[in-house]
């Protein structure tokens, strides 16, 4: 009887792990905030909230693809100067701005552990993003100071943006690997590119089925399901960035106009070359992925009194 129960338990465990490796849907949210670093700061890129859904699509076993993932996302980003409450326009070292958007991505993940993710975003920067109201609601709810200065925010302008991201495995030895990571943006809101390495240390899957490439979802029955029963790894991504245009700093790419007839918007001058560091950790098991990272970013506006940094938390649920 004991042998029978042991065999049954092993069978059920094996079945559970197999199912965990082939969840084809993923849904979750991500929250960015400088407050997560417990430094008492409330400046620059100060808050972001994102809800996303991903679905692994069927791939031809004879193709070069190991996985293909469709992603959908809605999100809002919030920017303010060195504080969310400024006594006068003289203290606006980075413009007030909000960005509200919806987007879609298609992630092609190849058997050679490279991937190409293509994306499209459409949204609005300005009062129509309701970012001012969201910040006021957050501060009122948690008893923070009342925000002031949003009358100077970047005015309404529509955003249509294309993006591409490429990753490629360069080296792996045991519990450590290094990949090349690069991206490019082009459109009416954001133009630029960046490149740098991504280093992982720990227990991880290959890049076509890993949280590192947002591809934890994989189609049922795929021969390329997870090789690790779980992922638990730390990562480091230093990156050089060139920004050609940023509408949250410079306003409408087609020319700024004072369309409200009230207080004029205050724009800024970009630092086109920037450097960022991202350090984080990922844990994935069965139906759950948790990611936490901290991002340190050099000044993206020439008048900023300091560099900026924030924390990011993501929670994802996998299902069939």
């Amino acid at each position: 009887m004991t042998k029978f129960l042991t065999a049954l338990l092993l069978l059920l465990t094996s079945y559970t792990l197999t199912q965990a490796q082939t969840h084809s849907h993923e849904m979750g949210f991500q929250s960015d905030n400088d407050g997560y670093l417990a430094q008492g700061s409330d400046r620059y890129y100060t808050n972001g909230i994102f809800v996303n859904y991903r679905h692994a699509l069927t791939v031809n076993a004879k193709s070069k693809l190991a996985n293909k993932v469709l992603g959908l996302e809605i999100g809002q980003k919030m920017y303010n100067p060195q504080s969310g409450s400024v006594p006068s326009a003289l203290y606006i070292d980075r413009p007030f701005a909000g960005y509200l958007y919806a987007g879609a991505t298609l992630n092609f993940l190849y058997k050679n552990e490279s991937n190409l993710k293509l994306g499209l975003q459409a949204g609005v920067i300005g009062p129509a993003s309701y970012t001012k109201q969201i910040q006021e609601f957050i501060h009122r709810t948690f008893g923070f100071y009342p925000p002031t200065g949003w009358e100077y925010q970047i005015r309404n302008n529509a955003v249509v943006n294309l993006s591409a991201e490429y990753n490629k495995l360069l080296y792996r030895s045991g519990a450590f690997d290094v990949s090349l990571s690069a991206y490019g943006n082009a459109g009416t809101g954001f133009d630029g590119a960046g490149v740098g390495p991504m280093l992982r240390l720990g227990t991880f899957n290959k890049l076509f089925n890993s949280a590192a490439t947002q591809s934890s979802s994989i189609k049922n029955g795929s021969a390329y399901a997870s090789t690790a029963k779980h992922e638990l790894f730390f990562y480091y991504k230093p990156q050089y960035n060139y920004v050609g245009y940023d509408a949250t700093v410079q306003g409408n790419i087609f020319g700024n106009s004072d369309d409200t007839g009230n207080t004029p918007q205050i724009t800024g001058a970009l630092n086109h070359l920037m450097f960022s560091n991202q350090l984080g950790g990922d844990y994935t098991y069965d139906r759950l992925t948790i990611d936490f990272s901290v991002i340190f970013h050099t000044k993206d506006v020439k008048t900023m009194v300091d560099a900026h940094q924030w924390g990011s938390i993501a929670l994802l649920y996998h299902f069939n």
Side-chain angles (χ1 to χ4, degrees), residues 9-282:
L9 179 61
L10 290 173
L11 179 62
L12 290 174
T13 302
S14 175
Y15 175 79
T16 300
L17 292 176
T18 301
Q19 293 304 302
Q21 294 169 3
T22 57
H23 295 139
S24 58
H25 299 263
E26 179 180 272
M27 191 166 187
F29 74 94
Q30 177 182 326
S31 173
D32 298 347
N33 198 288
D34 51 352
Y36 293 150
L37 303 185
Q39 295 181 327
S41 63
D42 189 15
R43 61 190 180 204
Y44 310 139
Y45 176 47
T46 185
N47 189 70
I49 187 72
F50 315 91
V51 178
N52 49 61
Y53 164 78
R54 301 185 187 106
H55 173 53
L57 305 174
T58 302
V59 297
N60 189 326
K62 296 181 180 180
S63 76
K64 296 180 179 180
L65 287 173
N67 197 3
K68 183 167 60 175
V69 180
L70 172 68
L72 303 174
E73 181 177 86
I74 56 174
Q76 184 190 63
K77 294 183 177 182
M78 180 187 300
Y79 302 88
N80 52 234
Q82 55 191 295
S83 172
S85 180
V86 292
S88 75
L90 296 175
Y91 291 87
I92 298 179
D93 59 334
R94 200 256 189 240
F96 283 94
Y99 176 40
L100 179 67
Y101 70 90
T105 59
L106 191 56
N107 197 356
F108 299 92
L109 300 116
Y110 295 90
K111 296 173 184 176
N112 67 357
E113 293 197 69
S114 65
N115 81 290
L116 176 64
K117 184 168 69 172
L118 304 177
L120 170 66
Q121 286 185 0
V124 62
I125 292 171
S129 69
Y130 292 96
T131 310
K132 169 181 178 289
Q133 291 85 343
I134 293 296
Q135 188 177 57
E136 290 175 341
F137 171 78
I138 293 172
H139 281 225
R140 184 170 59 251
T141 301
F142 293 97
F144 301 151
Y145 63 85
T148 60
W150 277 95
E151 64 268 25
Y152 300 105
Q153 72 174 299
I154 298 295
R155 298 297 183 240
N156 285 329
N157 59 97
V159 171
V160 178
N161 243 81
L162 300 173
S163 65
E165 177 185 325
Y166 177 77
N167 296 281
K168 169 67 177 175
L169 179 67
L170 300 179
Y171 172 80
R172 176 176 294 138
S173 177
F176 173 76
D177 69 8
V178 182
S179 304
L180 172 71
S181 182
Y183 74 90
N185 297 317
T188 63
F190 310 96
D191 297 302
V195 64
M198 176 176 66
L199 293 77
R200 297 191 297 174
L201 178 65
T203 301
F204 45 74
N205 286 320
K206 294 182 178 181
L207 291 179
F208 49 68
N209 182 207
S210 174
T213 53
Q214 298 181 334
S215 59
S216 294
S217 299
I218 195 165
K219 198 67 177 177
N220 285 341
S222 170
Y224 291 89
S226 306
T227 53
K229 296 176 183 178
H230 69 278
E231 289 190 295
L232 177 59
F233 62 88
F234 299 95
Y235 60 90
Y236 172 50
K237 291 179 67 174
Q239 199 161 56
Y240 286 98
N241 305 277
Y242 173 78
V243 179
Y245 202 88
D246 185 338
T248 69
V249 175
Q250 298 165 284
N252 196 319
I253 195 170
F254 300 112
N256 297 311
S257 61
D258 202 6
D259 57 353
T260 64
N262 299 316
T263 308
Q265 66 177 351
I266 292 180
T267 59
L270 278 179
N271 281 323
H272 292 286
L273 294 176
M274 288 168 284
F275 182 70
S276 61
N277 285 285
Q278 182 175 10
L279 300 94
D282 263 300

